[in-house]
Amino acid sequence: MRIACPLCGARDRREFTYRGAALPVPALDAGAEAWSVHVHLRENPAGPLEELWQHELGCGAWLKVRRDTVTHAMLGVVLAEDAGLAARDGEGPA
Amino acid sequence: MRISGKGLISGGRRVNFSFNGVSYMGQEGDTLASALLANGVHLVGRSFKYHRPRGILTAGSEEPNALVSVGKGAAQDPNIRATQQEVFEGLVARSQNCWPSVGHDVMALNDLAAPFLGAGFYYKTFMWPAPLWEKLYEPVIRRAAGLGALSGSANTEPYEKAFAFCDLLVIGSGPAGLMAALTAGRAGADVILAEDDSRMGGRLLAEMEEIDDKPAHVWVAEVLAELAGLDNVRLMTRTAVTGAFDQGTYSALERVSHHLPPSQSLKTAHRPRECFWRIAARATVLAAGAIERPVAFRNNDRPGIMTAGAVRAYLNRWGVAPGERITLFANNDDAHRTARDLVAAGVHIAAVIDSRHDAPDGRDFSVIKGAVVCNTSGRKRLETITLRNVSGEEKIQTDCLAMSGGWNPSVHLTCHMNARPVWNRDIAAFVPRAGAVPGMVVAGAANGSLSTHAALAEGAGAAVAALGQLGITAEAPALPRACDAPYRISPLWAVPGKGRAWLDFQNDVTVKDVAQAAQENFRSVEHMKRYTTQGMATDQGKNSNVAALAVLADATGRSIAETGVTTFRPPFVPTTIAAMGAGAAGQGFKPQRYLTSHRTSLKRGAANTEVGLWYRASYFAKEGETTWRQSCDREVMMVRNAVGVCDVSTLGKIDIKGPDAAKLLDLIYTNLFSTLKIGRVRYGLMLREDGFVMDDGTTARLGQDHYVMTTTTAAAGQVMAHLEYLSQVARPDLDVRFTSVTDQWAQFAVAGPKARALIDALVAEEINGETYPFMACGAITVGGVAGRLFRISFSGEHAYEIAVPARYGEALFDLLVTRAEAEGGGAYGMEALNVLRIEKGFITHAEINGTVTAFDLGMQGMISKKKSCWGKVLSERDGLMDEDRMRLVGLKPKGAAQELSAGAHLFEPDMTVERVNDLGYVTSVGFSPTLGHMIGLAMLSAGPDRLGDTVRLVDHTRGVDTLCEVVDPVFFDPEGGRVRG
Ligand SMILES: [Zn+2]
């Protein structure tokens, strides 16, 4: 398996570390319910899925990878910082 | 028998080799199989289950029978296919699975017991009593039914792994592969042409035919010469592509030096035995050819019975006639070439038998049409075959039968990503499904196109199409003139009749076994496979699976297409673990990280211990100390009474910079770091998003926008990834960057009442209570080197950590220890460090084990109420704040044993030792010389509410069962006067 890092190019999957589904991050003050859902509830689709991978043995970038869980086709890779996963409402610590 | 002047290796150098202790002569370019056949040796091995005498069936990597052991001693390689092993001077090979010899094999008795040993025999017979399976049945069965054995000693031969990248990977170098490589090579694409054989050319080396009016092998040589002249083309022989994986990744096994005498490979040329390749190809042309299949009939497994294509290959490539009276049995036109070539070479043809009534006539031989071979005789070598047609049965004397049931395209790699092949009635075989593997185009025989002309045309076309996907324009070369004879086949899988007709030669599966599986309702092809073991041997049934499922289809009244195929899995050829794991054996299995103080520590008597990948000093043995405990006790007292020096460089160090560094730290830590003054250090706790503790450590503020964080040794990588996650995913708006500087700084703890005096005398700056109060930090100069000083303590003593660039680490450690020794102190190791921190109740990852919260550690006060932080919301869940949770306490032994043990579980003294009564577990223990007894830390249900209680400590592993007292986790100097003083 190979992942095309937007910064480094296509690299072997051994350079990457998997985290899980690329979900929007709740605001810190979003409450226990929202955080519990974020941490514990996951879709498990047969088909396209957006995931977070880090190019840990490369540039260190976190990537949002769109991947087909049935065919393993890579459907797109973007830098996670451009993926709009950060909390929209509320703010982090001042 | 070698035919003088015949074949492509004619005139080669003579080489001597031995087989089963007998010396033979072969020729350069021979395989072991061709050399044995040239010497009239047909009996090569014994079959897996019935120990039947077996010979050479094929001329390629699909060989099921002729498996031999090559070499001697630790480097002995079992299960080498004689059809692939090249002969070299001094080659030593032996038969396997026979005792005492291949000629007289005691276990051949199994063959007489065959009526009882059919499909499912093991499953049915050895079911009960179950306990006997491991002890009795399995060892006996394995001894009786076995392949070659390993030597039992460690293999010291070198193996390698390597990566390769290309625009176009061409798999196979027959007519299709060569045309594909030529097309792509001329277009300037980066090409790898991989060939399993030692020589490029595929079937063109084995056939008597012409391309562009010259012998095919001459055309091959010309193409290879052109390819060799192209910088953008890599030619890899002896390289089997073994698997197709995601995103154009292919595995390949290169047999680098199996063809060389040991003296010529490693010793002089530094060549590994094998190299395991991972090839990343942007596009691929699969031109892997086809594999000929036998026909199943009674006793079709005798030495001397071979596939028709193999007989042709031995004749035309190696100049060997595998018999003197050869017969042919076929169901297709292609096989007739064998008779034609043998006649042309002057070899006697005893009979040509074709199952088809409309078979073509031969020019130089007569064809018995509409007939079958229904039996054979000859125990160690074929003697007769029995022919059956409408007029009855007839025996024919023959010493070699060439048989052909048709050709199976090598679709294997097209199925590795879960595609199923498609049944093609015209050629009675499965062909690849279009688009089976992204980026792969299939050409030639592998695609079911079984003429040379079609292979040449498809090879060129496939390269054009494959490169087209990449936006590379290629032009097909002018198509050479070549044979385009029709294939014509009429399916024949098994000749009806009594007796055992073999399908899978390597696993000894018969037509009857498959029929029995169907009868017992193992109708699915996958069930039949597992019940009969069809196709489960090392050859994976390359030449038998299709016939077996045709027999199953017949037995279950379905079509072959309906019956379907079993799953094709990598690797295509057997691959040694040594090759796949190359580089990871011995020390490569686990890299070793050494501290800058490593050498000088060893000189000072250090015993090392492994901490993750790091090697750290466990303790420093002084003269007269005979146990680690003596050294450890001394080192602890040394720190408490004088001064000790310890290398703490393994702690993760992360440099954090940026205008938003403080904001990020307030996000990751439970407590505030934005309020930390420049020149000060603070202890911090960080949580995972689920609220459990991730790690702890100190972070120093070196400037307005500059911090340096320390993590535990264990969590350094995890914390770095977490920082990157928070800044890139959760808060990309924050302007902050991180650099791991763990390896760049050497850092040493200097701890004890005399620490200040030592540091003050050492550095250029004045160090006292005002300039460096507890938790201060700053830049210092030591011996002219710019360094950093932190007044922090992990021992509870007045202590510092001094850091210098790693290249000065060894010198500084030496200097610190020398000065400490002058003050009655010295170096201390991990054992003493551990005792010192347990005495103070300081936690490590023995306590932060992924299941504990800040509340459990008594640190809920560290979660700031003034701000939010990562993980705070879920850390406040009801269940995580329950008083009855297992929470941190100290333990003191009670009673005579005076013993504690880490990993032990805790119970009420009057309760039975059962899971339901488990109150908690011990995380860390040590002997405290300061207090004169053992001390421990534990996670105990409602622990802080039980101070003064007695609990029972049970460790079944170490046989400890004792009582101990629950105490506060801080055993020593609870007021902290020493650390501040
Ligand atoms: Zn990258």
Side-chain angles (χ1 to χ4, degrees):
Chain A
M1 186 170 120
R2 297 173 68 75
I3 297 176
C5 173
L7 304 180
C8 307
R11 299 294 182 90
D12 191 88
R13 64 121 177 108
R14 286 164 187 75
E15 295 183 13
F16 298 84
T17 308
Y18 182 72
R19 180 179 173 102
L23 305 172
V25 182
L28 288 186
D29 56 3
E33 180 61 28
W35 272 99
S36 182
V37 167
H38 177 71
V39 169
H40 299 116
L41 298 185
R42 290 283 187 279
E43 297 296 327
N44 184 20
L49 173 67
E50 292 185 339
E51 306 170 322
L52 284 175
W53 293 75
Q54 191 194 13
H55 195 189
E56 196 174 13
L57 300 183
C59 62
W62 279 92
L63 311 174
K64 189 179 84 170
V65 176
R66 195 171 152 78
R67 194 175 68 93
D68 191 309
T69 60
V70 176
T71 65
H72 298 182
M74 288 289 170
L75 306 172
V77 185
V78 294
L79 291 175
E81 64 183 28
D82 299 332
L85 296 171
R88 300 240 178 262
D89 56 331
E91 253 284 291
Chain B
M1 181 186 63
R2 191 88 66 182
I3 300 172
S4 169
K6 178 80 182 158
L8 305 183
I9 66 166
S10 167
R13 219 163 40 90
R14 298 295 170 91
V15 284
N16 298 293
F17 69 98
S18 96
F19 181 67
N20 287 334
V22 180
S23 295
Y24 297 100
M25 194 173 291
Q27 231 168 274
E28 203 168 31
D30 260 330
T31 62
L32 179 58
S34 69
L36 287 173
L37 291 174
N39 284 283
V41 178
H42 276 259
L43 174 60
V44 175
R46 291 276 176 168
S47 71
F48 185 73
K49 187 168 160 188
Y50 298 120
H51 291 247
R52 283 173 66 92
R54 291 282 166 81
I56 295 156
L57 181 70
T58 73
S61 65
E62 72 272 26
E63 175 63 31
N65 280 347
L67 305 186
V68 298
S69 291
V70 172
K72 285 184 271 195
Q76 171 179 320
D77 274 315
N79 308 329
I80 298 286
R81 293 166 293 281
T83 50
Q84 279 197 302
Q85 174 65 52
E86 294 163 62
V87 165
F88 55 79
E89 184 66 33
L91 170 73
V92 176
R94 284 176 310 286
S95 296
Q96 325 179 134
N97 202 30
C98 52
W99 187 86
S101 76
V102 70
H104 302 276
D105 179 6
V106 170
M107 292 306 292
L109 285 171
N110 268 11
D111 200 28
L112 302 176
F116 312 105
L117 292 174
F121 166 72
Y122 296 135
Y123 298 125
K124 290 170 184 167
T125 311
F126 299 109
M127 284 281 285
W128 189 88
L132 286 183
W133 179 254
E134 260 180 49
K135 290 196 185 92
L136 180 65
Y137 300 152
E138 189 172 335
V140 169
I141 291 168
R142 286 205 186 281
R143 204 173 310 137
L147 292 164
L150 291 166
S151 67
S153 38
N155 188 354
T156 55
E157 297 283 309
Y159 291 77
E160 266 300 350
K161 64 181 168 194
F163 286 82
F165 303 83
C166 60
D167 292 326
L168 186 70
L169 170 65
V170 180
I171 302 166
S173 68
L178 286 176
M179 279 300 273
L182 192 62
T183 305
R186 286 180 180 171
D190 184 1
V191 179
I192 290 176
L193 174 57
E195 168 57 55
D196 190 12
D197 204 304
S198 60
R199 185 165 171 175
M200 299 257 178
R203 281 304 298 179
L204 295 181
L205 302 178
E207 303 292 2
M208 296 298 287
E209 61 180 74
E210 293 192 335
I211 296 180
D212 268 355
D213 304 321
K214 36 192 177 215
H217 67 90
V218 173
W219 180 82
V220 170
E222 287 173 7
V223 172
L224 286 174
E226 179 175 347
L227 292 174
L230 294 173
D231 288 344
N232 54 317
V233 177
R234 278 168 282 176
L235 302 174
M236 297 177 71
T237 52
R238 301 186 180 92
T239 304
V241 176
T242 57
F245 302 91
D246 297 316
Q247 283 77 47
T249 306
Y250 291 82
S251 58
L253 181 71
E254 183 184 4
R255 306 183 307 279
V256 183
S257 62
H258 281 283
H259 62 295
L260 297 174
S263 57
Q264 273 177 41
S265 54
L266 175 70
K267 309 287 181 313
T268 54
H270 302 285
R271 293 198 218 209
R273 293 288 279 175
E274 296 172 353
C275 181
F276 187 77
W277 289 89
R278 288 187 184 88
I279 302 172
R282 298 176 68 208
T284 306
V285 170
L286 178 68
I291 293 172
E292 199 169 17
R293 56 199 185 206
V295 178
F297 52 87
R298 187 174 191 176
N299 292 319
N300 62 338
D301 64 330
R302 299 199 188 281
I305 303 180
M306 307 166 76
T307 61
V311 170
R312 251 173 10 249
Y314 289 116
L315 177 71
N316 295 328
R317 177 170 170 183
W318 287 287
V320 172
E324 291 175 24
R325 280 178 59 84
I326 299 182
T327 42
L328 176 73
F329 175 35
N331 67 343
N332 63 82
D333 285 10
D334 178 74
H336 289 226
R337 302 168 74 167
T338 304
R340 185 196 65 190
D341 292 354
L342 286 167
V343 169
V347 181
H348 179 63
I349 295 288
V352 175
I353 301 149
D354 196 309
S355 59
R356 300 169 299 169
H357 291 281
D358 62 347
D361 292 313
R363 211 174 55 189
D364 311 312
F365 50 88
S366 61
V367 178
I368 307 169
K369 301 179 188 179
V372 292
V373 174
C374 62
N375 199 359
T376 71
S377 74
R379 178 89 186 140
K380 291 172 195 169
R381 174 84 191 260
L382 180 68
E383 286 166 13
T384 68
I385 60 171
T386 305
L387 173 151
R388 183 204 295 153
N389 59 13
V390 281
S391 50
E393 294 190 357
E394 181 193 342
K395 274 194 181 179
I396 300 172
Q397 298 283 325
T398 180
D399 56 359
C400 172
L401 172 65
M403 63 178 162
S404 177
W407 292 79
N408 288 327
S410 292
V411 301
H412 308 69
L413 289 171
T414 70
C415 302
H416 284 181
M417 290 174 71
N418 212 27
R420 298 278 162 165
V422 185
W423 181 250
N424 180 327
R425 279 184 55 168
D426 294 340
I427 61 168
F430 284 96
V431 295
R433 189 174 291 276
V437 172
M440 177 192 279
V441 184
V442 190
N447 200 33
S449 304
L450 297 168
S451 83
T452 305
H453 167 80
L456 292 165
E458 281 191 12
V464 172
L467 292 176
Q469 301 167 6
L470 310 179
I472 299 174
T473 309
E475 233 175 89
L479 195 61
R481 280 178 306 283
C483 172
D484 196 18
Y487 171 55
R488 295 184 65 235
I489 181 169
S490 177
L492 173 67
W493 308 107
V495 173
K498 283 184 177 171
R500 285 178 294 168
W502 305 90
L503 289 164
D504 184 331
F505 288 65
Q506 196 173 125
N507 257 357
D508 276 350
V509 179
T510 65
V511 170
K512 206 173 124 194
D513 291 330
V514 173
Q516 187 189 336
Q519 201 179 3
E520 298 188 15
N521 212 27
F522 293 101
R523 294 164 55 92
S524 148
V525 67
E526 297 284 4
H527 290 160
M528 176 276 285
K529 164 182 168 170
R530 282 154 184 83
Y531 193 57
T532 61
T533 71
Q534 162 67 41
M536 290 171 71
T538 64
D539 68 331
Q540 296 187 63
K542 285 195 186 71
N543 50 31
S544 60
N545 279 345
V546 174
L549 69 90
V551 170
L552 180 69
D554 187 47
T556 56
R558 293 172 297 180
S559 71
I560 291 174
E562 280 171 335
T563 306
V565 291
T566 53
T567 310
F568 294 84
R569 291 189 179 88
F572 178 68
V573 293
T575 304
T576 55
I577 300 289
M580 281 194 281
Q587 294 194 338
F589 183 69
K590 202 173 156 194
Q592 292 161 313
R593 296 181 82 180
Y594 291 123
L595 293 162
T596 59
S597 64
H598 184 71
R599 278 184 305 181
T600 184
S601 291
L602 290 183
K603 275 187 221 151
R604 292 172 182 278
N608 271 333
T609 182
E610 290 177 46
V611 182
L613 299 179
W614 288 103
Y615 283 71
R616 298 185 71 173
S618 186
Y619 56 93
F620 293 81
K622 288 268 187 238
E623 200 148 332
E625 291 171 351
T626 52
T627 68
W628 68 270
R629 259 290 304 283
Q630 292 173 332
S631 307
C632 176
D633 290 356
R634 173 183 50 76
E635 288 170 16
V636 170
M637 297 316 293
M638 182 182 83
V639 172
R640 294 273 178 246
N641 297 327
V643 59
V645 178
C646 183
D647 193 333
V648 294
S649 308
T650 62
L651 294 180
K653 298 182 274 296
I654 300 170
D655 200 73
I656 303 173
K657 276 185 180 157
D660 294 325
K663 276 191 190 175
L664 195 280
L665 288 170
D666 279 353
L667 172 62
I668 190 171
Y669 277 127
T670 60
N671 46 339
L672 277 164
F673 277 78
S674 52
T675 56
L676 184 65
K677 291 190 178 66
I678 295 169
R680 286 290 184 275
V681 187
R682 189 166 283 170
Y683 174 77
L685 202 62
M686 58 181 78
L687 308 180
R688 304 189 311 218
E689 63 186 8
D690 61 4
F692 291 85
V693 177
M694 175 186 281
D695 199 36
D696 69 345
T698 58
T699 288
R701 191 168 200 171
L702 303 180
Q704 183 60 32
D705 299 340
H706 186 194
Y707 293 81
V708 62
M709 171 188 282
T710 57
T711 74
T712 58
T713 303
Q718 185 191 4
V719 171
M720 185 68 190
H722 183 50
L723 283 165
E724 294 287 9
Y725 172 80
L726 289 182
S727 72
Q728 293 180 37
V729 182
R731 291 298 303 272
D733 57 305
L734 297 183
D735 189 359
V736 56
R737 288 293 180 270
F738 318 96
T739 311
S740 168
V741 293
T742 304
D743 290 306
Q744 279 67 31
W745 290 90
Q747 193 155 320
F748 308 108
V750 180
K754 296 180 179 176
R756 176 186 290 164
L758 193 158
I759 294 289
D760 186 42
L762 189 70
V763 306
E765 294 75 10
E766 192 175 332
I767 308 297
N768 57 45
E770 271 85 68
T771 58
Y772 274 83
F774 184 53
M775 298 305 260
C777 69
I780 45 99
T781 308
V782 49
V785 173
R788 291 169 180 169
L789 187 68
F790 309 87
R791 182 157 167 213
I792 53 180
S793 174
F794 196 51
S795 59
E797 291 301 322
H798 184 119
Y800 301 83
E801 287 188 14
I802 183 167
V804 290
R807 61 187 177 280
Y808 301 110
E810 183 169 13
L812 179 60
F813 185 79
D814 243 351
L815 186 59
L816 287 168
V817 175
T818 304
R819 294 211 176 180
E821 283 171 347
E823 299 296 325
Y828 67 101
M830 291 295 291
E831 292 294 347
L833 179 140
N834 200 39
V835 171
L836 290 162
R837 69 98 189 167
I838 297 172
E839 287 180 343
K840 287 296 296 176
F842 292 149
I843 55 173
T844 66
H845 273 263
E847 287 74 36
I848 308 172
N849 59 19
T851 70
V852 306
T853 63
F855 174 79
D856 299 338
L857 296 169
M859 290 184 171
Q860 64 274 29
M862 280 195 65
I863 301 181
S864 171
K865 299 225 186 324
K866 295 188 203 133
K867 61 153 190 138
S868 195
C869 74
W870 193 256
K872 183 180 178 182
V873 171
L874 292 187
S875 78
E876 290 167 344
R877 283 177 284 175
D878 289 346
L880 298 187
M881 308 285 277
D882 193 313
E883 301 286 330
D884 285 341
R885 285 182 62 80
M886 293 179 186
R887 293 152 66 194
L888 184 70
V889 290
L891 292 179
K892 259 167 60 176
K894 227 177 153 172
Q898 289 292 306
E899 197 170 2
L900 297 176
S901 110
H905 280 249
L906 303 171
F907 301 86
E908 297 283 8
D910 54 350
M911 297 295 266
T912 54
V913 178
E914 285 181 272
R915 177 72 188 84
V916 287
N917 296 329
D918 196 343
L919 292 181
Y921 52 91
V922 183
T923 56
S924 307
V925 299
F927 179 82
S928 167
T930 318
L931 305 173
H933 56 76
M934 286 205 80
I935 54 173
L937 297 177
M939 303 303 297
L940 176 66
S941 176
D945 305 329
R946 294 175 185 263
L947 298 186
D949 287 5
T950 298
V951 291
R952 180 176 171 191
L953 180 152
V954 180
D955 180 346
H956 288 310
T957 314
R958 299 187 185 87
V960 179
D961 188 343
T962 184
L963 296 177
C964 49
E965 184 188 341
V966 181
V967 296
D968 188 272
V970 184
F971 293 89
F972 180 69
D973 188 26
E975 300 78 25
R978 299 174 73 91
V979 75
R980 291 191 170 74

